[in-house]
């Protein structure tokens, strides 16, 4: 690996693979989606992609076999790898929680005293239990942790949850959220100086994509005598853009609004006479 190419580790298959590749594509970095290949190359950016199991990504970045990686924060926490977390990436959101059979009367954390807990995250769990002064037996299981209580393997589980559907269909109830997680961009501790500018360029692109998340571009026609009311409703990056319409007494107003308040803003704009409202996606935002 030379100093003019940066090497990124991503999950080869699984929940984070597609979103990781999409993020790269949105950032103008097209890599061959050769899932069976171990090492891929970007066509238009000096970047190599190493396709790995998610469990291996933090360690490979720590060792410097990859310079950067995209992986769930839960894996970074579990491996304890000495890497720097540069960005949260907004996908792969989940939590690692303690769950118990739903019929059990839960009395608080003390319930776990002396119990057995099945998990694939023994290190995160041990850390949590020690901090809370609970001593329980940890049983490491690599897959299908959710069946452990029904199978008589453990009293409780500590596992990744997102919708909670898996817990419910296994007769379990989430009782303590221990760790919130999402995909993160990690970097090795001693990134060679020559690769710093490549990393900066990737961060610049990722940030522009991150900034655009949850934002919509809105344009509409407004009677000129209602413009000041419209401006009050449209907090923009600097201030809204106003262009006169050919029709006398009307202007076209353009702005960027947050998706959360979009419908409320649209209703208020309509109430002050806005017409021909268009709402468009925002791909990138560069401040
Ligand atoms: O093969 P490899 O080792 O790379 O993959 P893996 O099987 O270990 O991981 P994978 O692909 O399942 O998940 C990769 C990462 O996605 C995890 O490390 C988390 O950071 C993140 N993530 C986000 C999740 C979930 N959501 C999730 N729901 N990982 C696992 N799950 C499991 C959960 O444990 C449950 O069993 O999916 C099931 C469905 O969840 P519910 O709650 O929606 O029913
Ligand atoms: Zn894994």
């Amino acid at each position: 690996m030379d100093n003019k190419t940066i090497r990124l580790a991503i999950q080869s298959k699984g929940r984070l693979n597609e979103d990781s590749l999409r993020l790269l594509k949105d950032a103008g970095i097209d890599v061959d989606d050769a899932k069976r290949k171990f090492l891929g190359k970007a066509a238009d950016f000096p970047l190599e992609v190493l396709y790995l199991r998610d469990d291996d990504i933090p360690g490979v970045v720590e060792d410097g076999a990859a310079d950067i990686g995209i992986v769930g924060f839960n894996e970074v926490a579990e491996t304890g790898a000495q890497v720097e977390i540069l960005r949260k990436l907004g996908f792969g959101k989940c939590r690692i929680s303690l769950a118990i059979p739903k019929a059990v009367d839960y009395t608080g954390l003390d319930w776990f005293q002396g119990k057995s807990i099945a998990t694939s995250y023994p290190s995160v769990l041990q850390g949590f239990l020690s901090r809370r002064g609970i001593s329980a037996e940890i049983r490491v299981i690599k897959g299908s942790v959710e069946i452990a209580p029904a199978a008589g393997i453990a009293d409780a589980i500590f596992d990744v949850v997102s919708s909670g559907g898996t817990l419910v269909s296994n007769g379990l109830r989430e009782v303590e959220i221990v760790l919130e997680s999402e995909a993160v961009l990690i970097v090795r501790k001693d990134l060679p100086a020559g690769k710093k500018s490549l990393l900066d360029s990737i961060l610049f692109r990722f940030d522009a994509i991150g900034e655009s998340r949850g934002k919509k571009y809105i344009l509409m026609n407004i009677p000129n005598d209602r413009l000041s009311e419209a401006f009050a409703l449209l907090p923009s990056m600097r201030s809204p853009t106003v262009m006169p319409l050919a029709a006398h007494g009307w202007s076209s107003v353009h702005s960027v609004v947050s998706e959360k308040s979009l419908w409320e803003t649209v209703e208020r704009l309509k109430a002050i006479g806005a017409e021909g409202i268009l709402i468009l996606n925002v791909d990138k935002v560069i401040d």
Side-chain angles (χ1 to χ4, degrees):
M1 198 173 27
D2 60 46
N3 250 352
K4 294 186 186 72
T5 306
I6 195 161
R7 187 181 282 175
L8 165 73
I10 64 169
Q11 197 187 18
S12 55
K13 54 184 173 11
R15 284 162 200 275
L16 302 182
N17 171 268
E18 241 176 62
D19 284 333
S20 303
L21 288 170
R22 181 167 321 115
L23 176 62
L24 291 174
K25 193 170 195 304
D26 288 348
I29 303 170
D30 251 314
V31 292
D32 35 336
D33 181 13
K35 286 182 188 160
R36 273 157 287 129
K37 238 202 271 170
F38 182 60
L39 191 64
K41 236 179 152 5
D44 34 18
F45 195 91
L47 177 132
E48 284 174 353
V49 180
L50 200 53
Y51 296 95
L52 297 174
R53 289 200 56 177
D54 66 347
D55 318 53
D56 296 331
I57 293 174
V60 161
V61 172
E62 179 180 37
D63 295 346
D67 300 304
I68 53 178
I70 295 176
V71 68
F73 173 68
N74 52 317
E75 294 297 333
V76 181
E78 180 59 26
T79 56
Q82 296 302 301
V83 295
E84 194 186 333
I85 293 172
L86 288 176
R87 293 292 187 276
K88 293 180 175 180
L89 297 173
F91 58 86
K93 289 193 180 177
C94 59
R95 50 202 191 266
I96 315 191
S97 297
L98 283 162
I100 63 172
K102 69 168 188 285
V104 169
D105 184 23
Y106 185 64
T107 47
L109 255 191
D110 273 346
W111 184 87
F112 288 97
Q113 206 68 257
K115 296 284 199 303
S116 56
I117 310 171
T119 188
S120 314
Y121 294 90
S123 166
V124 172
L125 178 57
Q126 188 55 67
F128 174 75
L129 294 176
S130 304
R131 281 194 304 281
R132 300 301 192 91
I134 305 283
S135 98
E137 190 196 329
I138 298 175
R139 301 208 171 139
V140 180
I141 296 187
K142 282 296 170 197
S144 304
V145 171
E146 65 279 357
I147 63 158
I153 296 168
D155 299 311
I157 68 162
F158 178 63
D159 200 12
V160 174
V161 182
S162 81
S163 69
T166 300
L167 293 184
V168 171
S169 59
N170 285 279
L172 299 170
R173 177 159 68 104
E174 183 177 16
V175 290
E176 305 281 345
I177 296 176
V178 172
L179 190 86
E180 303 265 8
S181 180
E182 67 185 87
V184 290
L185 179 70
I186 56 174
V187 64
R188 63 193 265 202
K189 278 265 151 79
D190 45 2
L191 185 73
K195 300 188 182 192
K196 183 84 180 61
S197 65
L198 292 175
L199 176 59
D200 286 344
S201 163
I202 291 169
L203 288 176
F204 177 75
R205 296 176 188 203
F206 281 11
D207 287 346
I209 295 161
E211 277 291 313
S212 74
R213 210 170 280 133
K215 294 207 169 85
K216 294 283 173 188
Y217 191 87
I218 183 167
L219 52 155
M220 76 218 81
N221 300 329
I222 302 252
N224 285 344
D225 59 353
R226 310 302 293 265
L227 277 177
S228 56
E229 289 164 86
F231 296 163
L233 293 173
L234 293 166
S236 196
M237 290 173 72
R238 192 175 292 273
S239 71
T241 305
V242 181
M243 285 180 273
L245 287 192
H248 186 70
W250 284 78
S251 295
S252 169
V253 175
H254 299 210
S255 189
V256 173
V257 297
S258 118
E259 208 168 1
K260 266 193 227 144
S261 56
L262 180 69
W263 291 108
E264 197 185 322
T265 306
V266 165
E267 279 161 24
R268 291 189 178 171
L269 289 165
K270 277 187 75 69
I272 62 165
E275 288 178 3
I277 301 173
L278 293 182
I279 295 155
L280 311 173
N281 290 330
V282 175
D283 266 359
K284 278 133 197 133
V285 173
I286 296 153
D287 260 331

